[in-house]
Structures are given as C-alpha cells and as structure tokens.
Amino acid sequence: MTTILPMATNKSTPGPSDASHLNSELQLVSSLAKLQELEKKIHELRQFMPDGLLEPLVPIANPDKATLNNQVAETPQILRASLDETARARVSDVQRFQSLWRDPELKSVWESVESRIKESNGQMIQPSGKWDRDYDVLLKDLADKENSKTEERQREEEEAERAQVLSVEGGWQKVLGQFVQRGVPGVRVAEEQDGNSLAVALIRAGAVFLVRGVVPEPGAPISEWEVSSKTGNRVLTKLEIAMLDCLGSRSRKWDLAFLLDMISSYGDIKSTPCVKCNRRTDDGAQLPTLRHLRQNQQFTEGEARTYTFDALHSSCA
C-alpha cells in the first residue's frame, strides 16, 4: 500500500499550539488512522471512472455480470434513473472524502509535514510504501484504555463524594430539608411513617412517587434510594411506567438530592419540549420522558448541589 504524503496547503509555519496538538499518543494515532482512511478512499476514488459511474451499463454490455443489485435496465427511463443515482452516490463519496481531508484534526498534520519539508529543503524521508499497523484498530484499543481510566477516575470521585455526603451531620434529612426550602413549584414532599421513605407528589403531572431508602443491615446508613409509584391498586399509565424506567436507570442512586431534582424535572412534563426536536410530542404522540443530566454544570463547594436535567423523547435519544 502506498503511503500518501500531503500537499502543502499554505506557507505559514505551525505555531506552538499545533506542535502540542500532536504530542498526545491518542491524538497521533487518531490522525494516523484518518490518514489511513484517506488513502483507502483515494484508491476507491480511482475506480469512479469509468467503473463507478458506468456501473449500470455493465449488465447491458455483459449480461453474465448482472447481479441482484445491478440488473439489466428494462427501459431507457430506468437506465437514466440508475445512472443519475450512481452519479449522486459518487459525488457524495467525493464530498465525504473532502470533508475528511479538511478535518480540523488533520490540519495540524498537514502543517507539521509542511514544516518538516521546509526544514529539510524539500528532502523528505521516503516511506516504505506500506502501513506497518492498522491504526484504526490501535486507536480503538487506546480509546478503550482512556475510557477505562476516565470511568475509574469518575468512580473514585463519586465514591469520595458519597462518603462525604454520608458523613454530613443530619444525613439525608438535611438534604430533604434543603430541597423543601427551595420550594420547587408543583412538587410536594412528605416523610413516610417508616422513617426511611418519602412520598414525592408532582401536582401538575398527576403522579406520586414513593422513594424508599435501602438499608443493607440494621444500624447502617442508607446505601441507595429506590423509586416506585404510589398509586394503590390503580394500574400505572404508560407515562408513569416510562418515568419510572428512566428514574430506575439513573446513576448516583445513593444521591437523594440528585433523585429529588430528577423527579422534579418531570413536574411540567406535559408542557416541556424535547431539547433535541423542540417538540412536546414526537411522531408517536409520546412525551419526552427521558432525562439526561445537563453537562458542564458548575457547583459551589460547600453548598447544596442543584441538578438540572434535559428532557428527551426516547425516539430522539
């Protein structure tokens, strides 16, 4: 396989930010994987003329080469439509190639190569003519390792936060008191008689949830919070089932503040639009019952956290 050397795109010298952009091993492998993909696409583009564009004519000239996906056109109109469709598909392939070539991640690669060409007065070490590694495979391995490190770090941070919350004087009752003091419109919370459960009513949504603290052993603190619907013998509606499914799949099941804010986000569900399609109901007339924690929320150290959630249709997730 021939290794492609990029053409110089401009006469500027890459700055410090471009050099540092290529210092990360993950970034280097990602760039190499994209270069490998570019080369593969270049070989594909070489087949566009005449083979690619004239593919619908092949079974006409040689019926033995007809396939299920490329049969002899029965009429001139069908042949014309097939040629038009093939041309559009090839143009789309060229556009995807151009998009990959102009990828911002590769900009620093082109500039780095150009800088080395200038430094060597146009003399570059010639490649061997083949790739030594499949960089898309190597990139996946590195990305998986990076994700594992990130997940481990998040678990450690969450465990430390959990320990800190459990050690706060007043425990979950303090969290409950802070939530009640905020006076969230349309939300009512009351403690149950067992001392480890809460009833959370969403007035506008017409739903009441039972939040029960799980105690792993007598005398131990609550380890997590379970949510069910407090409906008595009434059959649950599809809306209630969808909300319970989302609440049950949440992260931070030990965090009562997180759960109360998540339940509260359903308070205006009948009038809240989906953040993705900006519609109240989707094509199936379903409300946005999914809740995703809004990213990049800022919390002040020492103060009670308030979580914000985005509403999504299941079809938009």
Side-chain angles (χ1 to χ4, degrees):
M1 185 179 293
T2 303
T3 303
I4 303 299
L5 289 177
M7 296 175 59
T9 54
N10 55 56
K11 297 182 179 180
S12 63
T13 301
S17 59
D18 297 314
S20 61
H21 186 64
L22 296 175
N23 284 338
S24 162
E25 181 182 11
L26 187 62
Q27 185 62 53
L28 281 169
V29 174
S30 176
S31 298
L32 285 167
K34 289 187 177 180
L35 287 174
Q36 227 171 13
E37 184 179 354
L38 273 175
E39 185 180 49
K40 292 177 183 177
K41 290 187 177 297
I42 286 174
H43 289 304
E44 293 173 2
L45 290 173
R46 288 172 179 162
Q47 303 300 318
F48 282 5
M49 287 294 291
D51 297 346
L53 289 174
L54 302 182
E55 186 178 358
L57 298 177
V58 172
I60 296 177
N62 190 347
D64 292 337
K65 293 187 176 181
T67 64
L68 290 175
N69 295 326
N70 189 23
Q71 299 181 355
V72 177
E74 297 180 356
T75 66
Q77 291 80 7
I78 294 177
L79 177 60
R80 173 60 185 273
S82 297
L83 289 169
D84 287 346
E85 182 180 354
T86 301
R88 285 193 294 269
R90 297 301 175 261
V91 169
S92 178
D93 287 338
V94 172
Q95 291 173 339
R96 283 195 292 271
F97 172 81
Q98 291 174 329
S99 176
L100 181 60
W101 185 278
R102 295 166 182 159
D103 189 290
E105 181 180 335
L106 291 181
K107 180 177 182 292
S108 57
V109 176
W110 304 146
E111 292 177 343
S112 179
V113 171
E114 182 183 1
S115 176
R116 292 184 61 185
I117 292 174
K118 289 180 179 180
E119 291 172 359
S120 60
N121 295 320
Q123 299 298 318
M124 288 288 291
I125 298 176
Q126 293 303 309
S128 63
K130 63 180 181 180
W131 293 94
D132 295 327
R133 300 287 298 270
D134 286 332
Y135 286 100
D136 54 343
V137 177
L138 183 58
L139 176 62
K140 184 180 183 304
D141 291 342
L142 287 175
D144 289 343
K145 291 179 181 178
E146 188 67 23
N147 289 337
S148 295
K149 291 179 181 178
T150 301
E151 290 173 359
E152 180 63 27
R153 184 170 61 251
Q154 290 175 342
R155 281 195 295 269
E156 291 175 354
E157 292 174 353
E158 184 173 319
E159 193 59 36
E161 184 183 350
R162 177 179 180 176
Q164 182 180 7
V165 169
L166 292 176
S167 65
V168 171
E169 185 178 353
W172 65 265
Q173 286 89 351
K174 181 178 180 180
V175 174
L176 175 61
Q178 291 171 335
F179 177 83
V180 172
Q181 288 178 0
R182 282 164 48 196
V184 180
V187 180
R188 300 291 182 270
V189 184
E191 288 191 49
E192 295 288 281
Q193 293 182 352
D194 63 6
N196 283 332
S197 301
L198 310 170
V200 184
L202 303 180
I203 308 303
R204 297 170 187 170
V208 181
F209 296 100
L210 178 64
V211 177
R212 185 180 69 85
V214 177
V215 180
E217 57 185 31
I222 291 174
S223 59
E224 64 178 57
W225 297 88
E226 294 179 343
V227 186
S228 58
S229 183
K230 192 175 182 180
T231 59
N233 295 325
R234 179 173 62 81
V235 177
L236 294 177
T237 64
K238 289 180 62 176
L239 178 60
E240 289 172 324
I241 292 173
M243 289 190 291
L244 283 171
D245 285 344
C246 185
L247 290 167
S249 64
R250 74 190 186 281
S251 60
R252 303 174 67 90
K253 293 187 176 182
W254 53 271
D255 192 342
L256 180 60
F258 184 92
L259 174 57
L260 291 174
D261 282 339
M262 190 174 183
I263 293 176
S264 300
S265 69
Y266 287 107
D268 293 325
I269 188 171
K270 295 180 180 179
S271 59
T272 300
C274 170
V275 295
K276 189 169 184 179
C277 69
N278 201 34
R279 295 190 300 169
R280 190 174 60 85
T281 58
D282 61 10
D283 293 337
Q286 301 301 310
L287 293 168
T289 55
L290 295 185
R291 291 295 181 270
H292 288 181
L293 182 65
R294 187 170 298 173
Q295 298 301 311
N296 302 321
Q297 297 188 57
Q298 301 296 321
F299 301 107
T300 302
E301 186 174 355
E303 294 185 4
R305 291 190 174 189
T306 301
Y307 298 93
T308 304
F309 294 84
D310 289 326
L312 282 164
H313 295 119
S314 57
S315 57
C316 292

Short mmCIF file of all heavy atoms in Angstrom, two decimals, residues 16 34 82 110 155 164 174 186 196 234 284 294:
data_model
loop_
_atom_site.label_atom_id
_atom_site.label_comp_id
_atom_site.label_asym_id
_atom_site.label_seq_id
_atom_site.Cartn_x
_atom_site.Cartn_y
_atom_site.Cartn_z
N PRO A 16 3.11 26.98 18.22
CA PRO A 16 3.30 26.06 19.33
C PRO A 16 2.07 25.20 19.59
O PRO A 16 2.18 24.04 19.97
CB PRO A 16 3.59 26.98 20.51
CG PRO A 16 4.07 28.26 19.90
CD PRO A 16 3.36 28.37 18.60
N LYS A 34 -6.89 8.40 10.49
CA LYS A 34 -7.60 9.18 9.47
C LYS A 34 -6.80 9.25 8.18
O LYS A 34 -7.37 9.23 7.08
CB LYS A 34 -7.90 10.58 10.00
CG LYS A 34 -8.97 10.58 11.08
CD LYS A 34 -9.39 11.97 11.48
CE LYS A 34 -10.53 11.91 12.50
NZ LYS A 34 -10.98 13.24 12.92
N SER A 82 -30.96 5.02 -13.01
CA SER A 82 -29.85 4.30 -12.37
C SER A 82 -28.55 5.07 -12.52
O SER A 82 -27.74 5.16 -11.57
CB SER A 82 -29.70 2.91 -12.99
OG SER A 82 -30.85 2.12 -12.75
N TRP A 110 -1.03 18.32 8.36
CA TRP A 110 -0.55 18.93 7.11
C TRP A 110 0.50 20.00 7.41
O TRP A 110 1.54 20.09 6.73
CB TRP A 110 -1.69 19.56 6.33
CG TRP A 110 -2.86 18.68 5.98
CD1 TRP A 110 -4.15 19.05 5.90
CD2 TRP A 110 -2.84 17.27 5.63
NE1 TRP A 110 -4.95 17.99 5.54
CE2 TRP A 110 -4.17 16.89 5.36
CE3 TRP A 110 -1.84 16.31 5.53
CZ2 TRP A 110 -4.52 15.59 4.99
CZ3 TRP A 110 -2.19 15.01 5.16
CH2 TRP A 110 -3.50 14.67 4.90
N ARG A 155 -15.45 7.01 39.10
CA ARG A 155 -15.91 6.17 40.21
C ARG A 155 -15.25 6.59 41.52
O ARG A 155 -15.90 6.65 42.57
CB ARG A 155 -15.63 4.70 39.91
CG ARG A 155 -16.61 4.05 38.97
CD ARG A 155 -16.48 2.54 39.00
NE ARG A 155 -15.18 2.10 38.51
CZ ARG A 155 -14.92 1.79 37.24
NH1 ARG A 155 -15.88 1.90 36.34
NH2 ARG A 155 -13.73 1.38 36.88
N GLN A 164 -18.45 11.64 51.65
CA GLN A 164 -18.58 12.97 52.25
C GLN A 164 -20.03 13.29 52.58
O GLN A 164 -20.34 13.83 53.65
CB GLN A 164 -18.02 14.02 51.29
CG GLN A 164 -18.06 15.43 51.84
CD GLN A 164 -17.49 16.43 50.85
OE1 GLN A 164 -17.18 16.10 49.71
NE2 GLN A 164 -17.36 17.67 51.29
N LYS A 174 -31.16 16.27 56.18
CA LYS A 174 -30.67 17.60 55.86
C LYS A 174 -30.84 17.89 54.38
O LYS A 174 -31.24 18.99 53.97
CB LYS A 174 -29.20 17.74 56.26
CG LYS A 174 -28.62 19.11 55.97
CD LYS A 174 -27.17 19.22 56.44
CE LYS A 174 -26.61 20.61 56.14
NZ LYS A 174 -25.19 20.73 56.58
N GLY A 186 -45.00 23.11 42.22
CA GLY A 186 -45.71 21.91 41.79
C GLY A 186 -45.18 20.62 42.36
O GLY A 186 -45.59 19.53 41.92
N ASN A 196 -37.73 5.94 56.69
CA ASN A 196 -36.73 5.81 55.63
C ASN A 196 -37.32 6.01 54.24
O ASN A 196 -36.68 5.69 53.24
CB ASN A 196 -36.05 4.43 55.67
CG ASN A 196 -35.03 4.32 56.79
OD1 ASN A 196 -34.44 5.32 57.20
ND2 ASN A 196 -34.85 3.12 57.31
N ARG A 234 -54.36 1.18 41.64
CA ARG A 234 -54.57 1.69 40.28
C ARG A 234 -53.49 1.19 39.33
O ARG A 234 -52.32 1.09 39.68
CB ARG A 234 -54.58 3.22 40.31
CG ARG A 234 -54.77 3.87 38.94
CD ARG A 234 -54.93 5.38 39.06
NE ARG A 234 -53.74 6.01 39.63
CZ ARG A 234 -52.65 6.30 38.91
NH1 ARG A 234 -52.58 5.97 37.62
NH2 ARG A 234 -51.62 6.89 39.49
N GLY A 284 -44.88 9.61 17.47
CA GLY A 284 -45.74 8.59 18.08
C GLY A 284 -46.62 9.15 19.18
O GLY A 284 -47.19 8.38 19.96
N ARG A 294 -27.75 17.57 32.53
CA ARG A 294 -27.13 18.60 31.70
C ARG A 294 -25.64 18.68 31.98
O ARG A 294 -25.21 18.67 33.13
CB ARG A 294 -27.79 19.96 31.95
CG ARG A 294 -27.35 21.07 31.01
CD ARG A 294 -28.21 22.30 31.19
NE ARG A 294 -29.62 22.01 30.86
CZ ARG A 294 -30.61 22.87 31.05
NH1 ARG A 294 -30.37 24.05 31.60
NH2 ARG A 294 -31.85 22.53 30.72
#
